[in-house]
Amino acid sequence: MATVTYDHVTKRFDTVVAVNDFNLEIPDKEFLVLVGPSGCGKSTALRLLAGLEEITEGDIYIGDRLVNHVPAKDRDIAMVFQSYALYPHMSVYDNMAFGLTLRKVPKEEIDRRVREAAQILGIEDLLKRKPRQLSGGQRQRVALGRAMVRDPAAFLLDEPLSNLDAKLRVQTRAELSKLHQRLGTTFIYVTHDQVEAMTMATRIAVMKDGLLQQVGAPQDLYDRPENVFVAGFIGSPAMNFFQARVKGQREEMHLDIDSFQVPVPASWLDDLLPYGGKEVIFGMRPENICDPECQPCSTEAAPVTAMVDVTEVMGSEIFLHLVADGKAFMARVDPRCRARPGQEIRVEFDMARMHVFDPETEEAIGSREKR
Amino acid sequence: MVGRRWWTPWLWLAPALALLGVFLVYPVVDTVRRSFLDERSKSFVGLDNYRFIIDNPQPLVSDTHSALLNNIMWLTLFTGITVALGLILAVLTGRVRYEAAAKSSIFIPMAISFVAAAVIWRFMYEFNTDIGTVNAAVTSAGGESTDWLRDTGSPQTWLTERGPDTMPRPIQINNLALIFVGVWMWTGFAMVVLSAGLKGISTEVLEAARVDGANEWQIFRRIIVPILSPTIVVVATTLVIQGLKKFDLVWVMTGGRAKTDVVATLFYKEAFRVGDFGVGAALAVVLLLWVLPIMVISIRRFQFQEETR
């Protein structure tokens, strides 16, 4: 049980900066998910904490202990790898017991802990088997068990679900959350899948090109992304972005997006005043674009005419691929909607839920509360 | 299969079987037959030739005991040291920047013909320090020149006062010097094969062990060696067979003099120098019986691996 602190941590491989001035404090018992596209440095950040890579600059603390020069074996952390990395020549039991035998834990104590972990994970019947005799899901459990018996200060998980099939992944996601509640240990979880991040995390840290973009609770990240990257990365299907120009004085202020115009809600006027006549990036999530014929928007609806390009029926909802004057965007609407490909329809943008970003810094415009 | 006569496969096999019969089966059977006959292969002498090997009546001409003991030494020391060195070098070369260069230089002896290597090392071990590099090194370090290939382990002043004479009899400097050349030649092979096996171990497994609390030695001992054990067995069997059959190095460097004979050199001597085909054949059979179980084990193992693939 411990807090984990990254203090201005940088990692360079020759000329490549994998992790750039990374600052993050992870409180005890938190389930923190590091998410980002591949090559963003999230795995490196985790490996730095595990002691598998050397830190170039900065400090890492586990609890109050500075661990920069502590070897991996003495850091009191456990790690679950993407490939599970089970010892192929050992039985499941020995795989789980290995870390404890190295620490010279008494035999009875090892036995008790291994059996307890096996029971929690439902792998009691597999203890005598070798890893090659197990299915992917079972191996994944053994890898978790091997980490659990150690009772570590922190659990590090590096994309542990990416080798499982889709159904098992969904199931294991919930089980991991349950396990986290039960163990009450700090979990640090690396994934490129924003769905995994959203569903399991206490807090999410989004990374890109070695830089930390934003840290926050899942809903907070979703509702109030601080820049274009986070807005586009969190949420599926992704947020629609439009190049827009702020036009008109106060009451008639609107965003001009070539093919259509949308009025700026009264609450946003002050924020967008300095951008009068300038370019901005206008963002709108697909679920905030609706088809008024089946499910009207809020009071701040702005009508837009668009051509239906493709429809994707998901059962519980329909994804409409729309085109307005060459500009493609997506809407997520109720399955009762009757839109068909090739048809021209009128959709509504829910302007109360709009996002605006500065095109140069890509940072969000407007005060936090409004977004 | 439909429309195929039973003898078709045999037809295709026939040339290979004929060649095997002439060059393998017939010599083996004939050797076994001759081992029960006298020196001219004329009359039946029962187990006399085998009794000769066990009783060792002419230790000065053909010392069968020392040949058998030397072979055991080749078997154990040559195999053991080569596997151990190969394993250590495989791990170490895997960690250096100039891995390819390091590996090539260690592997080069393997590419030299055994006779050529034997000649090279005969010069290396030469008593005269103008020729013998080893002795030149020893004397320049303040030691005394040693006749490496003739030295049977009498007291040495160049190592320590009570050095080699405390060794048990069959362990002679000259035998160790010969075995060293064998090790020098074969370490590259062991290293290359083991290093290929080592590359097959996922780095995540080693990292998992590190995070689990293992130090480098524990990782080597409890993760790397067990995972590599099938490869180690393959290398060891190859080397055991090499060690048992060893002829070329010994023949060229010492000709089996000064108690350096191994079974292979001794049976050649008996059959073609002394002219006693009976004893020669009996020694060959002993060697065959020695190699056989190892061959069987390695073939079984190979079949087992094929099945479990």
Side-chain angles (χ1 to χ4, degrees), chain B residues 101-112 184-193:
Chain B
K103 276 190 181 159
S104 316
S105 66
I106 296 165
F107 191 75
I108 279 174
M110 195 74 205
I112 304 173
W184 177 76
M185 297 209 73
W186 281 92
T187 299
F189 163 79
M191 178 197 67
V192 166
V193 176

Side-chain angles (χ1 to χ4, degrees), chain A residues 331-353:
Chain A
R332 187 166 155 183
V333 298
D334 194 273
R336 286 165 298 180
C337 291
R338 296 266 174 266
R340 292 284 167 272
Q343 210 178 344
E344 198 169 73
I345 61 164
R346 211 178 60 109
V347 291
E348 284 179 345
F349 281 26
D350 183 354
M351 297 308 287
R353 313 296 293 274

Side-chain angles (χ1 to χ4, degrees), chain A residues 22-38:
Chain A
F22 190 74
N23 278 302
L24 185 62
E25 186 163 334
I26 304 158
D28 191 16
K29 299 185 177 134
E30 182 166 86
F31 196 132
L32 182 103
V33 176
L34 269 173
V35 68
S38 60

